[in-house]
Amino acid sequence: MLKGFYPNELIHSTYEIDFEAFYRKGYRGIIFDIDNTLVPHGMPADERAVALFGRLRQIGYQVIMISNNKEPRVKMFCDAVDAPYIFKAGKPNPKNYKKACAQMGTDETDTLFVGDQIFTDVWGANKAGLYSVLVKPIHPKEEIQIVLKRYLEKIVLFFYQRAQKQRKMEK
């Protein structure tokens, strides 16, 4: 029942993902969430984010952001990292995940999604057939509706981690 919410991988931080390894596996596009995935909520792109996007382009990736935020917030970040974006994306609806793939010239077989929320980011990526990577939120300060969802996420993560342990024991 909860498996639709499970990420393909849980990684501590976006900045710890081995993007070179994913590229060797055939991934060519990455869709990112912004807030608490790349920078604290509402903050502009920092040097670390700018460097990451430069590195991703050097590797050979196409990148795009999808955010449920309004355009001024999304544009501010994306202009700084020189990346296209889709704002007011309506996540978890898979429509804009698929639109993002089309804009990058990729599809669900060669595109990663990286985000920090289960019920919007991961669920939407899973519904779109993408490989989903859940990262821990960068900063604890969040809007109240997100804080409330985090309690439910803890339940999903408990069962996800239990399933991961079970899978390892069966191997």
Side-chain angles (χ1 to χ4, degrees):
M1 178 175 142
L2 295 176
K3 288 183 182 175
F5 298 109
Y6 291 175
N8 292 104
E9 287 192 43
L10 174 61
I11 298 177
H12 187 264
S13 167
T14 299
Y15 299 97
E16 294 175 8
I17 297 172
D18 187 347
F19 290 107
E20 289 82 1
F22 278 110
Y23 195 85
R24 287 190 300 271
K25 291 178 184 176
Y27 289 94
R28 296 298 182 260
I30 307 171
I31 302 170
F32 285 98
D33 173 55
I34 299 171
D35 287 323
N36 259 344
T37 297
L38 294 162
V39 293
H41 187 80
M43 298 301 292
D46 56 18
E47 289 179 20
R48 185 167 69 160
V50 172
L52 173 65
F53 283 87
R55 183 175 133 227
L56 294 173
R57 279 189 281 281
Q58 281 185 327
I59 294 169
Y61 280 109
Q62 296 295 312
V63 296
I64 191 168
M65 285 353 128
I66 64 171
S67 174
N68 286 346
N69 262 306
K70 295 176 184 170
E71 188 171 23
R73 191 284 174 268
V74 179
K75 182 176 180 357
M76 171 184 63
F77 182 90
C78 293
D79 283 353
V81 298
D82 191 27
Y85 59 87
I86 297 171
F87 65 97
K88 291 176 79 172
K91 296 181 289 183
N93 185 327
K95 177 182 82 169
N96 280 317
Y97 292 80
K98 292 176 182 184
K99 180 179 176 183
C101 288
Q103 286 182 15
M104 292 188 295
T106 62
D107 62 32
E108 68 278 353
T109 65
D110 62 355
T111 305
L112 300 171
F113 177 84
V114 180
D116 71 299
Q117 292 187 56
I118 289 174
F119 297 115
T120 52
D121 297 331
V122 170
W123 190 27
N126 290 348
K127 291 194 300 183
L130 302 176
Y131 190 93
S132 59
V133 178
L134 177 67
V135 296
K136 296 190 181 202
I138 290 177
H139 194 274
K141 183 178 183 271
E142 298 180 295
E143 296 172 338
I144 188 64
Q145 72 271 18
I146 296 171
V147 171
L148 297 174
K149 284 193 267 184
R150 295 288 185 202
Y151 289 106
L152 296 173
E153 285 184 353
K154 287 179 183 179
I155 296 167
V156 174
L157 286 172
F158 170 81
F159 288 104
Y160 166 77
Q161 289 168 332
R162 192 167 86 176
Q164 293 296 97
K165 286 179 188 173
Q166 183 74 27
R167 194 175 320 149
K168 286 179 183 176
M169 288 173 54
E170 291 172 357
K171 287 184 178 179

